[in-house]
Amino acid sequence: MQNYRLALKLFIIFILIILLFIPQASLMGLVSERASWRAEAYSSIEQSWPGSQVLAGPVLVIPYTLTVNLKETITEKDGATREVVKAQTVENRLIMLPKQLEIQSKLDSEIRYRGIYAVPIYNSNLQVSGHFETQALVDLINEHKNDQLQLYSPYVSVLVRDQRGIAAPPELIWNQQKLAFSPGTNLPNAAAGMHAKIPDFSTVPAQQFQFNFDLQLRGMSAMSFAMLAENSDVRLVADWAHPKFSGELLPEERSINDQGFTAHWRASSFSYNVNAVLEQCRANQCDALLSRSVGFELLQPVDMYQQSERSIKYAVLFILLTFTVLIMFELLKNLRIHPIQYCLVGLALTVFYLLLISLSEHLDFTWAYVIAAVASTGLLTLYFGAILHSRKLGLLLGGGLLSLYAVLYVILQAEDNALLMGSLLIFAILAALMLATRHLDWYALTANALPQAKQVEPTAEKLLTDPSN
């Protein structure tokens, strides 16, 4: 009978553990919901501030029309054939990349708030220089020397992702001549940016033109550079200490410290093939010039929602371990703990994660974790002492739980080794339980798990009425 009661109680505890998955799932949903609200805050700020930026260019554009004579064979009604020459005119543009492109950027960042959510924005001061060579134009003229080729006024185009980020109209220095930029790229399907008309120049022989300009570009969260040149060199200095490098090439050199970071990218026409995007631009899809880039993102030092989500995944481990210890005390100390008390302990363990999520939105994640852990452990220590009828056992369980929270915090901070450290923690706990209970006589413990019913002594009245007496 006692074994049956113990089995029933263990079954009830198992059902409680399954039911505690419901608040855990709700907490995971809460993290996703709050993260989506943060994304809405980003979008809200982006409506009144430039978004993530991409700088592409400059490129030298020469519009032209090409008239070619096409021979067409026509068959008459009587079967005779004759050749007819028809003139066909097409409009196109020659897009030339710089032979050498150098970009130096100094980025100053700051934090803007929308409600409780912090969003990093920046102001980047860019110095762009390099030179063009017009050999591609000479090749085009030689290719169509027998056709009618009409060249139009050339211009230089610079593309950005968000037009609002251009803080002030820059000035182009073209072969030591100052030229004004105008809004818009003057390229199809790529309106954001600027362009500057340049003086006509002799088409033969090939020439070289030096250029440079300064640009103040504002943005939010991320910035990239499209390496549109035969040889590109990008150097960046920023005051943000937590960058995430992105794009098709990582920087050759980088340095990160508490004051910020520096990065250096280099690419050539061999390592960074842009012929595909140039072909797309010739097909009137010039927004493709922004698609291939290198850059960085301004990451928040600690993503509170990511950390909270990772900590919630360990909730089952904490509940299982705590319930296992309580069951061991029941068996070893001949105590009785009601299933409702198990339920309250499980809820107290779950409330820790709710406190962590809510506090981390207003405090540094470390302080939020400490406050939530101390509050939850303090409550459970008092409760353990009461239900186990021993202040010493309560302090022992509370201290062990606090140690587990400390280990979990270390695991959360070790992003790259979190899985390894979590696996080692589970293995260590399982090994400790197995070694601590290896000499226990489980049959004897379960036989005495519940107090046996007291036997009633026969009364005098029963002795008198019993015929056997």
Side-chain angles (χ1 to χ4, degrees), residues 48 69 125 423 466:
S48 54
N69 295 323
N125 295 303
S423 303
D466 192 345

Side-chain angles (χ1 to χ4, degrees), residues 33-346:
E33 180 184 3
R34 304 297 289 184
S36 66
W37 287 1
R38 182 178 62 181
E40 290 181 7
Y42 273 61
S43 301
S44 176
I45 291 181
E46 194 171 357
Q47 292 176 1
S48 54
W49 185 269
S52 60
Q53 289 285 14
V54 180
L55 175 68
V59 293
L60 177 58
V61 184
I62 303 178
Y64 66 88
T65 57
L66 178 63
T67 303
V68 295
N69 295 323
L70 300 177
K71 293 182 179 181
E72 183 178 350
T73 301
I74 299 177
T75 303
E76 303 290 349
K77 293 183 180 180
D78 57 0
T81 60
R82 62 187 179 91
E83 288 188 349
V84 177
V85 178
K86 291 185 176 180
Q88 183 179 11
T89 301
V90 294
E91 295 182 356
N92 209 333
R93 64 187 63 82
L94 175 65
I95 301 175
M96 289 183 284
L97 303 179
K99 187 73 174 180
Q100 181 69 36
L101 175 64
E102 296 181 359
I103 300 176
Q104 294 187 2
S105 173
K106 184 179 183 300
L107 184 140
D108 299 317
S109 62
E110 62 177 292
I111 297 294
R112 294 285 176 90
Y113 289 90
R114 183 57 52 94
I116 62 174
Y117 300 107
V119 181
I121 65 171
Y122 61 81
N123 188 358
S124 181
N125 295 303
L126 299 155
Q127 296 178 345
V128 184
S129 61
H131 69 269
F132 287 96
E133 292 185 0
T134 61
Q135 183 60 46
L137 178 60
V138 176
D139 295 339
L140 178 68
I141 294 173
N142 291 334
E143 181 182 356
H144 299 285
K145 59 184 178 181
N146 296 325
D147 301 317
Q148 194 172 14
L149 181 66
Q150 177 65 47
L151 302 177
Y152 296 97
S153 299
Y155 58 90
V156 170
S157 290
V158 179
L159 294 80
V160 295
R161 177 76 72 190
D162 194 330
Q163 180 82 35
R164 299 172 300 165
I166 302 177
E171 191 176 56
L172 174 66
I173 308 299
W174 181 263
N175 263 13
Q176 299 182 352
Q177 182 179 358
K178 295 183 178 180
L179 303 173
F181 274 109
S182 300
T185 63
N186 209 21
L187 292 172
N189 290 312
M194 55 190 180
H195 73 281
K197 294 183 178 180
I198 62 174
D200 294 333
F201 54 85
S202 175
T203 57
V204 178
Q207 299 189 47
Q208 185 178 100
F209 297 100
Q210 304 286 337
F211 69 87
N212 67 81
F213 61 90
D214 295 339
L215 176 63
Q216 187 177 3
L217 190 62
R218 296 172 179 170
M220 183 180 75
S221 300
M223 183 170 181
S224 300
F225 304 91
M227 312 288 266
L228 298 180
E230 293 188 27
N231 295 283
S232 302
D233 188 283
V234 178
R235 297 178 183 272
L236 172 68
V237 178
D239 61 355
W240 189 265
H242 305 277
K244 175 187 176 183
F245 297 106
S246 57
E248 299 194 8
L249 290 174
L250 292 176
E252 283 190 357
E253 301 173 2
R254 62 180 182 177
S255 174
I256 304 174
N257 53 42
D258 294 338
Q259 284 71 44
F261 73 95
T262 62
H264 179 208
W265 290 270
R266 284 196 307 170
S268 68
S269 56
F270 290 93
S271 61
Y272 201 83
N273 190 1
V274 294
N275 289 331
V277 294
L278 287 179
E279 290 299 326
Q280 287 180 269
C281 187
R282 295 187 184 102
N284 296 330
Q285 298 294 329
C286 289
D287 56 339
L289 296 174
L290 298 168
S291 61
R292 303 188 62 184
S293 60
V294 300
F296 61 93
E297 300 175 21
L298 302 180
L299 289 182
Q300 296 284 14
V302 176
D303 189 337
M304 55 187 176
Y305 295 126
Q306 183 183 22
Q307 301 277 53
S308 298
E309 181 180 0
R310 290 168 58 195
S311 66
I312 293 172
K313 294 177 181 178
Y314 288 89
V316 177
L317 174 64
F318 277 67
I319 293 172
L320 283 174
L321 185 60
T322 305
F323 281 13
T324 300
V325 173
L326 290 178
I327 292 172
M328 292 296 298
F329 277 123
E330 277 200 76
L331 296 176
L332 295 174
K333 299 295 184 180
N334 200 22
L335 298 172
R336 299 191 68 180
I337 303 176
H338 198 276
I340 292 180
Q341 293 173 315
Y342 278 95
C343 181
L344 293 174
V345 169

Side-chain angles (χ1 to χ4, degrees), residues 326 335-337 341 345 382-390:
L326 290 178
L335 298 172
R336 299 191 68 180
I337 303 176
Q341 293 173 315
V345 169
L382 293 175
Y383 195 66
F384 288 148
I387 64 177
L388 297 177
H389 309 292
S390 171

